[in-house]
Amino acid sequence: RVQVLYFAQLRERLRRGAEPVEVPPGSTAGDLLDALSAEHAVVAAARGSLRVAVGHVGTDLPLGDGQTA
């Protein structure tokens, strides 16, 4: 199970900030988006422009050239 956090337009349109989602072991971020797209039409409509951030990092994480923050 993963906790999915929603932001901006998805948060507004889904009327929720988060939800737990059951995913099989070995699932990828793409698998998660596929499952969310099957559950929520608004996610399916935005699928091509969505990105997934995994995990939380502290402020002491070194940043490298080319990383997205």
Side-chain angles (χ1 to χ4, degrees):
R1 176 186 288 192
V2 297
Q3 183 73 1
V4 176
L5 304 177
Y6 297 111
F7 299 94
Q9 289 183 10
L10 281 182
R11 182 182 184 115
E12 293 172 12
R13 291 182 181 171
L14 291 171
R15 296 185 178 153
R16 68 185 79 175
E19 71 176 312
V21 178
E22 294 289 337
V23 294
S27 293
T28 65
D31 296 332
L32 175 62
L33 286 176
D34 290 343
L36 291 170
S37 293
E39 183 72 22
H40 304 293
V42 67
V43 175
R47 176 70 168 88
S49 63
L50 297 178
R51 299 295 176 262
V52 176
V54 179
H56 298 276
V57 297
T59 56
D60 59 343
L61 176 74
L63 297 177
D65 186 40
Q67 284 183 307
T68 302

